[in-house]
Amino acid sequence: MAEELDWSNIGFGYRKTDYNVRCYYRDGKWGEIEVNSEETINIHMAATALHYGQEAFEGLKAYKCKDGKIRIFRPDANAERLQSTCRGILMPELPTEKFIDMVKKVVSMNERFIPPYGTGASLYIRPVMFGTGAQVGVRPAGEYVIIMFVTPVGPYFKGGFAATPYVVTRKFDRSAPLGTGIYKVGGNYAASLQANNWAHEQGYSCEFYLDAKEKKYIDEAGAANFFGIKHGVYVTPKSTSILPSITNRSLMQIAEDMGIKVERRQIAIEELEDMEEAGACGTAAVISPISRIDDPEVGKSYVIAKDGKPGPISEKLYNAIRAIQLGEAEDKHGWVLTL
Ligand SMILES: *Cc1c(COP(=O)(O)O)cnc(C)c1O
């Protein structure tokens, strides 16, 4: 039973829940939302997802809150990003309303798996869409499915909010300047596995990418966007090869609301020397503070948190976004969907 899970120690992995929801695209239109309790799918062996990577995913979270309500953070933004990804790899767009109906349904049907308030754990929602139709030549499928499943995930920081080291990878690129880096497609992750493995083997939290063309500007950190605090300004990369993070977009807004200046621009790697704070941001950790970024291939190391602790602005931003997600601060931008 879900009630018996040790919520604070469940980690970030797949756990079976009661239901998933599915919607099929056939004959040029999306069908009705179907509820399923199977964990497997039966698709054609020539499906475009399997051969040509016509696949996209999303990730968002639902929280059980102090007032007993369930809150989901910015599902409309995930729906819009998925639509952008669909345009990018020629899949049919799923309307926002249908996306949100699916999210509501999969969360409410698996309510007993939503970690209780105060455990730091949450319910991770994973939408995945792909071409199921058969093709042998390289072209988009005629049929698609979107599936949403959920899995309870533990708190990202077991020992509390802490800063960790990252490593620049110059041997591997995740995405090209005019490639698919701006879309949330599985192919980008296949391209990142070697670099990710290399970083982990050396004890780093994650690999850190520079722009693929000039190897000069900061792109992002594995599966999270980068932000730094430079002379009190929130700086974050502008690049055609990074994923538009909803967490980053929200942090930029919150920073502005707090009177912190925000700059979205190209950031040369050397600028790390003048940063008081830095972090990686994304749905999984919200903010993962960066203590140090090593660039071993050129023999450089940028120490950001000298005491190894997260900086005050990162901490303030982290607390502010968490409070909105949990319904404990005013949601003045209308970000939260409450069930
Ligand atoms: C999902 C993802 C992020 C984070 O996006 P959020 O919407 O904040 O979760 C950042 N970078 C990459 C490459 C991603 O796939």
Side-chain angles (χ1 to χ4, degrees):
M1 283 296 281
E3 297 76 51
E4 288 158 18
L5 284 174
D6 177 9
W7 299 107
S8 305
N9 290 303
I10 52 177
F12 194 93
Y14 175 80
R15 270 162 205 279
K16 187 181 189 306
T17 61
D18 292 333
Y19 303 102
N20 58 79
V21 295
R22 306 177 181 200
C23 187
Y24 291 90
Y25 181 90
R26 291 183 187 120
D27 304 322
K29 57 180 191 299
W30 289 104
E32 295 302 313
I33 299 169
E34 300 172 19
V35 175
N36 201 302
S37 52
E38 299 274 310
E39 290 174 282
T40 55
I41 47 166
N42 198 358
I43 60 169
H44 198 286
M45 61 185 175
T48 59
L50 300 178
H51 299 259
Y52 305 124
Q54 204 186 19
E55 182 271 353
F57 69 102
E58 273 300 328
L60 61 164
K61 280 177 170 179
Y63 305 87
K64 191 63 135 291
C65 303
K66 212 178 197 165
D67 58 6
K69 291 185 178 145
I70 300 162
R71 286 182 174 79
I72 304 167
F73 191 64
R74 305 194 75 172
D76 52 328
N78 292 93
E80 284 163 19
R81 186 169 64 189
L82 179 60
Q83 289 155 6
S84 158
T85 300
C86 287
R87 290 191 293 275
I89 60 165
L90 302 188
M91 299 202 292
E93 292 175 43
L94 184 77
T96 301
E97 201 189 326
K98 196 144 217 162
F99 183 95
I100 298 209
D101 282 348
M102 290 182 80
V103 168
K104 283 185 185 166
K105 194 156 207 154
V106 76
V107 170
S108 53
M109 293 194 75
N110 290 294
E111 187 169 352
R112 72 190 186 97
F113 293 95
I114 310 176
Y117 175 77
T119 55
S122 53
L123 190 73
Y124 184 72
I125 307 159
R126 168 53 63 88
V128 59
M129 189 200 284
F130 47 89
T132 52
Q135 294 287 10
V136 176
V138 180
R139 65 179 73 90
E143 295 189 349
Y144 296 83
V145 66
I146 177 165
I147 304 176
M148 290 193 196
F149 66 82
V150 295
T151 191
V153 293
Y156 194 87
F157 301 102
K158 274 213 210 89
F161 196 51
T164 56
Y166 286 63
V167 63
V168 174
T169 155
R170 288 176 180 267
K171 281 198 293 279
F172 305 101
D173 291 318
R174 187 190 79 99
S175 67
L178 300 175
T180 54
I182 54 170
Y183 307 124
K184 213 168 173 72
V185 296
N188 295 338
Y189 279 78
S192 77
L193 290 173
Q194 280 204 70
N196 188 261
N197 216 25
W198 171 75
H200 285 157
E201 271 171 8
Q202 295 177 90
Y204 292 98
S205 279
C206 195
E207 78 279 17
F208 197 83
Y209 295 101
L210 300 183
D211 76 286
K213 194 173 173 187
E214 297 188 65
K215 293 280 182 185
K216 194 170 159 193
Y217 302 102
I218 295 172
D219 251 0
E220 61 178 326
N225 273 189
F226 171 84
F227 75 89
I229 306 295
K230 183 180 176 185
H231 308 314
V233 177
Y234 182 107
V235 292
T236 193
K238 190 181 172 116
S239 162
T240 55
S241 48
I242 64 179
L243 203 272
S245 154
I246 295 162
T247 311
N248 194 12
R249 206 199 321 163
S250 308
L251 289 171
M252 285 190 259
Q253 182 66 57
I254 293 169
E256 274 178 356
D257 294 349
M258 287 175 172
I260 297 168
K261 201 176 159 220
V262 172
E263 288 176 5
R264 203 172 140 255
R265 57 171 174 82
Q266 284 189 313
I267 301 172
I269 172 95
E270 291 78 21
E271 284 193 58
L272 288 171
E273 279 169 12
D274 301 318
M275 291 190 191
E276 307 94 77
E277 301 181 32
C281 58
T283 296
V286 183
I287 291 177
S288 182
I290 298 174
S291 60
R292 192 179 87 230
I293 298 177
D294 290 345
D295 192 352
E297 281 141 278
V298 298
K300 289 196 95 165
S301 177
Y302 302 91
V303 177
I304 292 152
K306 295 193 179 57
D307 54 2
K309 294 208 180 73
I313 295 179
S314 303
E315 189 139 21
K316 215 169 132 188
L317 289 169
Y318 178 78
N319 290 335
I321 192 169
R322 292 279 298 164
I324 297 171
Q325 290 172 336
L326 294 171
E328 288 164 7
E330 190 201 344
D331 174 26
K332 57 181 164 189
H333 301 288
W335 288 341
V336 175
L337 173 70
T338 306
L339 301 188

